[in-house]
């Protein structure tokens, strides 16, 4: 199972060179785990950048994946990870979700670089 961070989703959705690399390593959609915070971030970005119709399409696509709600266990683990790795709250929730579900985290966000269980693909790399 894999958690795709918002940064990786955006690169994939805009079909950037980095997104092309990501597309080549993504597993079947049945193995995609989407934290609800990623849904929020993507809907916000898509609505701002390409409009609500595209945001609705992506949200509908996400509903075909495994959606991981934010619960107490993930929230408390996220709080620990904030302190341990100096992560922002949203990043800590994404990382906690991956950790809780024993999933790999795929990201283009340098804040995660070097953390256990993270596959980091730098933007602009192909």
């Amino acid at each position: 199972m894999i958690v795709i961070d918002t940064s990786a989703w955006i690169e994939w959705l805009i079909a950037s060179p980095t997104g092309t690399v990501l597309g080549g390593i993504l597993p079947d959609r049945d193995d995609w785990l989407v934290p609800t915070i990623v849904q929020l971030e993507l809907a916000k970005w898509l609505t701002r950048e390409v409009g609500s119709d595209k945001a609705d399409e992506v949200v509908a696509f996400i509903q075909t994946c495994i959606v991981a709600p934010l619960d107490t266990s993930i929230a408390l683990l996220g709080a620990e990870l904030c302190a341990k790795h100096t992560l922002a709250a949203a990043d800590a929730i994404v990382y906690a979700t991956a950790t809780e579900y024993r999933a790999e985290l795929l990201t283009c966000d340098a804040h995660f670089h070097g953390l256990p269980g993270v596959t980091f693909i730098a933007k602009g790399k192909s």
Side-chain angles (χ1 to χ4, degrees):
M1 197 169 336
I2 192 164
V3 170
I4 304 165
D5 183 43
T6 307
S7 62
W9 271 96
I10 291 170
E11 294 297 317
W12 181 68
L13 288 168
I14 66 172
S16 72
T18 303
T20 301
V21 171
L22 293 164
I25 61 175
L26 290 172
D28 292 335
R29 192 178 328 153
D30 293 344
D31 291 326
W32 293 20
L33 179 66
V34 183
T36 51
I37 191 78
V38 170
Q39 285 182 303
L40 178 149
E41 291 176 330
L42 278 175
K44 177 181 164 186
W45 182 85
L46 286 160
T47 300
R48 182 183 68 236
E49 297 297 321
V50 294
S52 59
D53 288 344
K54 184 63 174 178
D56 291 344
E57 285 178 38
V58 173
V59 170
F61 175 84
I62 288 171
Q63 294 304 110
T64 67
C65 303
I66 303 164
V67 176
L70 175 58
D71 62 16
T72 302
S73 176
I74 291 171
L76 295 176
L77 179 56
E80 289 177 35
L81 294 171
C82 276
K84 184 175 181 180
H85 300 293
T86 358
L87 295 171
D91 289 341
I93 291 167
V94 171
Y95 191 46
T97 302
T99 302
E100 185 80 8
Y101 283 82
R102 293 182 177 93
E104 185 74 16
L105 174 60
L106 179 61
T107 186
C108 300
D109 186 340
H111 293 101
F112 295 110
H113 186 64
L115 294 179
V118 172
T119 298
F120 171 72
I121 306 292
K123 291 180 187 177
K125 302 293 180 187
S126 51

